[in-house]
Amino acid sequence: MEQNNSNGTPKTNYHMKGGNGPYSYAHNSSYQKIWLDSEKDRMKELISEHLDVVDVENPLFSHNKSFKIADFGCSIGPNTFIAVNNIIAAIESNYESNDENLPEFLVFFNDNIGNDFNALFRNFPVSSRKYYAVGLPGSFHGRLLPNATLHLAHCSTALHWLSRIPKEVTDKESIAWNKGRIHYTGAVKEVYEAYSIQFGEDFNSFLNARAQELVPGGLMILTILGFPDGVQIDESDMGEITKILESCLEDLAKMGVISDDMLESFNLPFYLPSPSQLKTLLDTNGLFDIKRIEKLPLPMKTENINPQLDVLHVRAVISEIIRQHFGEEILDDLFELLKKKCIENPIPSDKYRKEANYLKLWVDSEKDRIKELISEHLDVENPCFSPNKSFKIADFGCSIGPNTFIAVNNIIAATESNYESNHGNLPEFLVFFNDNIDNDFNALFRNFPVSRQYCAVGLPDKESIAWNKGRIHYTGAAKEVYEAYSIQFGEDFSSFLNARAQELVPGGLMMLTILGFPDGVQVSESSMGETFNILGSCLKDLAKMGVISNDMMDSFNLPFYYPSPSELKTLIDTNGLFDIKRIETLPLPMRIEKVTPQVDVLRLRAVIGELIKEHFGEEILDDLFELHIKKCIENPIPSDKYWKEASYFVFLKRKTDKGP
């Protein structure tokens, strides 16, 4: 269901075409890359001039602090990575030229919640990346981060997107009703003025939000698509292609493919300002000093650029807007028709590249335990926990919700209670939601609670699991197999502890809920082990039937390990970076007889379906899990094997006198 703004107009969630297919933004954003390349030297010059890394009165840029950068409107790459690399190279040069040690870099990649963050995270440079990276979902027209978080904000060719269509443009009773057109291109002056006012409101909101998020003296670099003073959009290739797109939609309406009402209610949500308009808006806002505003060179139109390429660029940018309004089924026909018209009536060469870019640089079972333990061990008198600083929380292995949001709410409620009972003032909260890069972050971000009282970012990572040929798990396997899994878990858990020890402030707290088995209980004695045995037998049956190969079967293993409490304690003590404040067993749900094998297998499929698909292919999923249900019905798992596993609540405090 579409949500509305307070004034009743629809909220928008504009984003580029995701994925990595032929119509994706990732493969059709070469013009934007050219603009980024042209920024590079200017960035270096201006950062060198205005980033004071040796100002003793402003220690916010000390190399001892992480340097935080945000790219607003990042889309899915690769241009956002080029921009960040350019920025970091310029900053590093400035630190080095002042004989300062380099700080660590943390980069927030921001776009609307409808952006394909899955594609963004999978496109991350793996080997060449010199920074930590998180996804930051939400509209950049509002606050996204706590006060004084960022040192540098960047936004390239994204601010021309409006937060919504001006309400007057779609109101049939308004003199600015834009009947018969899809943009202010060629429209009456009232339509243009409505777009202009909306841009002014949106730009002011953007500036206000960034002013709060940047540290005092922080910098902001914006590349904004616009037109020079005195040039109208009608005189440009952008205006021309908008008119052609409009005529294509009119043709589809005449053919009955779309309705007249749908066409009349459609408007493109972007506005291209002039430099004088930008300067006026900045001066009126008053929160930033303009250090430079200048025109960037645009890519030249060459005779070799063909209409097909231009239309691909247009499709990558606006196809999601078209799909949301008219439906996906018109996309191919619409853009084929657009290409045909562009070939038959080429856009005059004197209309190309009238637009310009302007560069500016400025400165529940756990709930009670959590409350009790935070109250006991969170030292709010420690300067690291000052309410003037944002309080940062990370949920590792968050999946897509809703459990991750419940956990975070419990932690924040307990933390707020502790602050209130000590001195009343509350910090702002920033929550990092972490999971593997293949997690469905799109679903996570769309599931965010609307009423949340914290800033939120997605934090992707990647881990490795050792292969164990011959079985699908260590359940029932030889002791060498079990030992290999146990060693791998020990290495992984130690790596996890080392990483968190570096990320936590001294005295910081960590809560873990870990699924395992009590000392002396083996996984093979449990319903979980029995389930894995049945799953293995189903895969063997499919191999015998020729649905999957024996090699595929032999090379597949489930990447789970369930430790005992004594094993956990030994690993934590050996690591030596945390004090164990509590390890206790949480109650597990009772086995309910009404729960059917179908329900159990559905739960299993939700957890491991993606593992199966990645290894064997999607086509076996239905057959595999139908076979699993059949076997569970024919040979039910004995009731005495249920709930042998346990969930361990582990509460740790970061030691202050040791480092990894």
Side-chain angles (χ1 to χ4, degrees):
M1 184 174 179
E2 191 174 45
Q3 294 178 309
N4 289 331
N5 288 302
S6 58
N7 62 10
T9 57
K11 284 185 178 180
T12 53
N13 185 18
Y14 309 125
H15 54 91
M16 305 298 100
K17 175 64 177 171
N20 287 300
Y23 301 127
S24 70
Y25 184 78
H27 288 290
N28 295 284
S29 52
S30 58
Y31 290 158
Q32 292 86 338
K33 180 182 182 298
I34 293 171
W35 291 321
L36 286 172
D37 290 341
S38 66
E39 288 181 10
K40 188 173 182 179
D41 292 338
R42 290 168 176 81
M43 274 187 190
K44 186 173 182 180
E45 173 192 346
L46 290 164
I47 286 175
S48 174
E49 183 179 348
H50 297 286
L51 179 63
D52 190 354
V53 299
V54 293
D55 184 357
V56 294
E57 295 182 0
N58 185 7
L60 296 169
F61 296 95
S62 165
H63 66 271
N64 294 319
K65 298 180 180 291
S66 60
F67 194 104
K68 300 177 185 69
I69 300 164
D71 187 34
F72 293 95
C74 64
S75 190
I76 63 173
N79 291 335
T80 186
F81 309 128
I82 296 170
V84 167
N85 286 340
N86 289 346
I87 291 168
I88 288 178
I91 295 168
E92 287 179 333
S93 176
N94 203 25
Y95 275 89
E96 289 167 350
S97 65
N98 285 281
D99 295 323
E100 292 287 323
N101 295 326
L102 292 177
E104 291 184 304
F105 292 96
L106 173 61
V107 180
F108 297 86
F109 289 92
N110 157 261
D111 216 307
N112 283 327
I113 58 172
N115 184 56
D116 192 346
F117 282 91
N118 292 347
L120 172 72
F121 294 155
R122 289 177 188 134
N123 289 336
F124 270 159
V126 177
S127 59
S128 60
R129 180 153 55 100
K130 297 181 179 179
Y131 51 86
Y132 297 97
V134 296
L136 180 63
S139 170
F140 56 44
H141 293 111
R143 282 288 300 279
L144 293 165
L145 292 165
N147 279 327
T149 296
L150 297 175
H151 297 88
L152 191 148
H154 176 260
C155 182
S156 181
T157 61
L159 279 168
H160 59 285
W161 289 96
L162 302 178
S163 66
R164 63 175 177 88
I165 299 296
K167 62 181 184 297
E168 302 89 346
V169 171
T170 56
D171 181 1
K172 293 183 179 181
E173 304 301 319
S174 169
I175 57 173
W177 181 31
N178 199 23
K179 182 180 180 181
R181 295 193 178 278
I182 65 170
H183 194 233
Y184 65 84
T185 304
V188 297
K189 70 174 183 177
E190 289 82 4
V191 173
Y192 169 79
E193 288 168 356
Y195 269 85
S196 178
I197 291 169
Q198 183 63 50
F199 175 81
E201 293 174 357
D202 288 345
F203 191 48
N204 191 57
S205 296
F206 176 89
L207 295 175
N208 289 341
R210 302 299 81 79
Q212 295 176 77
E213 293 165 353
L214 281 162
V215 300
L219 309 177
M220 183 155 67
I221 303 169
L222 308 177
T223 301
I224 301 177
L225 196 61
F227 286 98
D229 291 302
V231 174
Q232 303 300 315
I233 192 171
D234 305 65
E235 306 168 39
S236 72
D237 62 322
M238 187 177 292
E240 196 70 21
I241 204 160
T242 300
K243 291 177 186 175
I244 298 172
L245 177 67
E246 183 180 281
S247 73
C248 293
L249 288 167
E250 288 172 349
D251 290 348
L252 293 182
K254 290 174 184 175
M255 294 160 60
V257 176
I258 59 175
S259 69
D260 290 335
D261 286 343
M262 290 179 77
L263 179 56
E264 287 182 0
S265 61
F266 179 70
N267 287 271
L268 291 169
F270 48 77
Y271 176 84
L272 288 83
S274 67
S276 61
Q277 186 176 12
L278 288 171
K279 188 175 186 306
T280 298
L281 289 169
L282 288 162
D283 289 341
T284 302
N285 178 269
L287 296 173
F288 294 90
D289 291 324
I290 302 174
K291 297 302 182 183
R292 187 178 299 184
I293 180 167
E294 65 181 66
K295 179 179 175 180
L296 293 176
L298 278 165
M300 296 298 293
K301 173 68 177 175
T302 68
E303 297 307 316
N304 293 328
I305 294 180
N306 55 48
Q308 286 94 329
L309 184 59
D310 280 345
V311 171
L312 278 174
H313 281 277
V314 173
R315 180 167 184 164
V317 172
I318 69 167
S319 64
E320 284 299 300
I321 300 171
I322 300 289
R323 183 184 65 79
Q324 288 175 19
H325 190 83
F326 296 102
E328 189 164 13
E329 58 276 6
I330 81 159
L331 291 179
D332 290 340
D333 291 341
L334 174 64
F335 289 105
E336 278 299 316
L337 186 56
L338 181 63
K339 182 171 66 176
K340 182 172 180 287
K341 289 196 175 192
C342 288
I343 291 171
E344 291 174 350
N345 297 285
I347 297 171
S349 58
D350 63 344
K351 285 199 170 187
Y352 264 96
R353 305 300 166 234
K354 292 292 182 71
E355 65 268 26
N357 271 282
Y358 300 101
L359 173 70
K360 290 159 291 298
L361 188 147
W362 308 284
V363 171
D364 290 17
S365 62
E366 296 177 5
K367 189 173 182 180
D368 292 338
R369 292 173 176 82
I370 288 172
K371 185 174 182 180
E372 171 195 344
L373 290 164
I374 285 180
S375 174
E376 183 179 348
H377 297 288
L378 179 63
D379 182 7
V380 296
E381 301 304 322
N382 183 330
C384 294
F385 296 100
S386 165
N388 297 321
K389 298 177 183 288
S390 61
F391 192 103
K392 301 175 184 68
I393 300 164
D395 186 30
F396 293 94
C398 64
S399 188
I400 63 172
N403 293 338
T404 186
F405 308 128
I406 296 171
V408 166
N409 286 341
N410 289 344
I411 292 168
I412 288 177
T415 305
E416 287 179 334
S417 177
N418 203 24
Y419 274 90
E420 288 169 348
S421 64
N422 281 277
H423 46 53
N425 294 328
L426 293 177
E428 292 184 300
F429 291 94
L430 172 60
V431 180
F432 297 84
F433 289 94
N434 158 264
D435 215 307
N436 287 330
I437 59 172
D438 288 327
N439 182 56
D440 193 346
F441 283 91
N442 293 346
L444 171 73
F445 294 155
R446 291 178 188 133
N447 289 336
F448 271 161
V450 176
S451 60
R452 74 180 190 272
Q453 296 180 316
Y454 52 86
C455 302
V457 298
L459 179 62
D461 71 3
K462 193 172 185 178
E463 58 180 279
S464 171
I465 300 293
W467 288 100
N468 178 35
K469 186 176 180 180
R471 290 180 176 269
I472 70 166
H473 195 235
Y474 64 85
T475 305
K479 70 172 184 177
E480 291 81 7
V481 175
Y482 168 79
E483 288 170 357
Y485 268 84
S486 176
I487 291 169
Q488 184 64 49
F489 175 80
E491 292 175 356
D492 290 345
F493 192 52
S494 182
S495 296
F496 175 87
L497 294 175
N498 288 340
R500 302 299 79 78
Q502 294 178 73
E503 295 163 354
L504 281 165
V505 299
L509 308 179
M510 183 158 65
M511 285 163 275
L512 310 176
T513 303
I514 302 175
L515 196 62
F517 286 95
D519 291 303
V521 175
Q522 304 300 317
V523 68
S524 55
E525 303 170 34
S526 71
S527 60
M528 189 179 294
E530 195 72 21
T531 296
F532 293 158
N533 286 334
I534 296 171
L535 178 66
S537 72
C538 293
L539 287 167
K540 288 176 182 176
D541 289 349
L542 293 182
K544 290 175 184 175
M545 295 160 58
V547 177
I548 60 176
S549 70
N550 288 323
D551 286 343
M552 292 180 75
M553 170 65 197
D554 287 341
S555 61
F556 178 71
N557 285 271
L558 292 169
F560 312 133
Y561 179 80
Y562 305 97
S564 66
S566 61
E567 192 173 3
L568 287 172
K569 187 176 185 305
T570 298
L571 288 169
I572 295 167
D573 288 342
T574 302
N575 178 267
L577 298 173
F578 292 88
D579 289 322
I580 301 174
K581 296 301 181 182
R582 187 176 297 184
I583 295 182
E584 65 181 68
T585 304
L586 296 176
L588 277 169
M590 296 298 292
R591 173 66 179 169
I592 301 172
E593 295 307 319
K594 291 182 180 178
V595 175
T596 64
Q598 287 90 334
V599 172
D600 278 346
V601 174
L602 276 176
R603 290 171 179 163
L604 178 68
R605 181 169 181 165
V607 173
I608 69 169
E610 284 298 302
L611 293 173
I612 301 290
K613 185 186 78 169
E614 288 179 11
H615 189 79
F616 297 101
E618 190 167 16
E619 58 277 3
I620 81 157
L621 290 178
D622 291 340
D623 290 342
L624 173 64
F625 289 105
E626 280 298 318
L627 184 56
H628 199 153
I629 291 172
K630 182 172 180 289
K631 290 197 175 193
C632 288
I633 292 172
E634 292 173 349
N635 297 285
I637 298 171
S639 59
D640 64 346
K641 285 200 169 188
Y642 269 96
W643 306 135
K644 291 293 182 72
E645 61 269 25
S647 189
Y648 298 108
F649 180 77
V650 182
F651 190 84
L652 307 174
K653 187 168 186 176
R654 173 72 167 92
K655 293 182 178 180
T656 58
D657 59 343
K658 290 190 178 183

